Amino acid sequence: MLKGLKNFVMRGDIVTVAVALIIALALSTLIKAFTDFVVNPVITRAQGGRSVGLGWQLGRAGNRSTYLDAGAFLSAVLYFLIFMAVVYFFIVVPYKHIQARRGVVVFEEQGPLKTCPACLSEDLPEAAYKCRHCGTEQPPAAAARTV
């Protein structure tokens, strides 16, 4: 039983996922600090005066539970966009490059598509012989006709 667990944990893809998760959590903490301590004060200052943030008071003045805080939502959107950009440019792009040097294609982009003449679904790969939706035979691809 322990040998099976060791084999499972030592698989390359499990270790890769674990390292990626640790890196993502560290980046998440860094980006959260940036949005909390840099972006939020700027958003709050944009409201001006003695306001608690960028938003509207829906109930009694000073009651935080009835304050519609648009600034916090805007900060969360910025956090998400920054986090996804960091993950893409610092994890996905280098990983694709390293795997390409090893001869492995990851996150490959979808090839040309065609439309099924019977059911009109537009997501069939150009080289498909049968439609995945209705099962009808497909005309040969243009590349196959010239061969």
Side-chain angles (χ1 to χ4, degrees):
M1 184 166 82
L2 291 178
K3 182 179 179 183
L5 177 64
K6 182 186 112 186
N7 289 339
F8 173 73
V9 170
M10 295 309 292
R11 286 179 36 198
D13 53 350
I14 297 293
V15 173
T16 303
V17 169
V19 169
L21 180 61
I22 292 166
I23 292 170
L25 289 173
L27 289 173
S28 173
T29 304
L30 180 66
I31 295 168
K32 180 75 172 136
F34 174 75
T35 55
D36 285 348
F37 301 117
V38 176
V39 174
N40 284 351
V42 171
I43 291 173
T44 302
R45 182 63 184 135
Q47 182 72 19
R50 290 178 272 215
S51 178
V52 249
L54 182 61
W56 301 271
Q57 185 67 48
L58 300 178
R60 194 180 68 224
N63 185 358
R64 290 287 294 168
S65 63
T66 59
Y67 185 74
L68 183 64
D69 196 354
F73 178 73
L74 181 61
S75 178
V77 168
L78 286 173
Y79 171 82
F80 174 77
L81 293 174
I82 292 169
F83 185 75
M84 295 315 306
V86 166
V87 166
Y88 180 75
F89 289 113
F90 290 105
I91 295 176
V92 173
V93 171
Y95 181 71
K96 283 174 62 173
H97 179 72
I98 290 168
Q99 291 297 77
R101 289 179 65 192
R102 295 177 60 205
V104 178
V105 177
V106 292
F107 306 118
E108 68 182 275
E109 297 188 20
Q110 195 172 23
L113 300 176
K114 66 180 176 181
T115 301
C116 175
C119 70
L120 302 178
S121 58
E122 299 175 344
D123 63 342
L124 297 177
E126 194 173 285
Y129 294 110
K130 281 191 169 190
C131 176
R132 70 175 77 159
H133 303 287
C134 66
T136 59
E137 296 281 332
Q138 296 296 308
R145 280 185 236 148
T146 60
V147 176

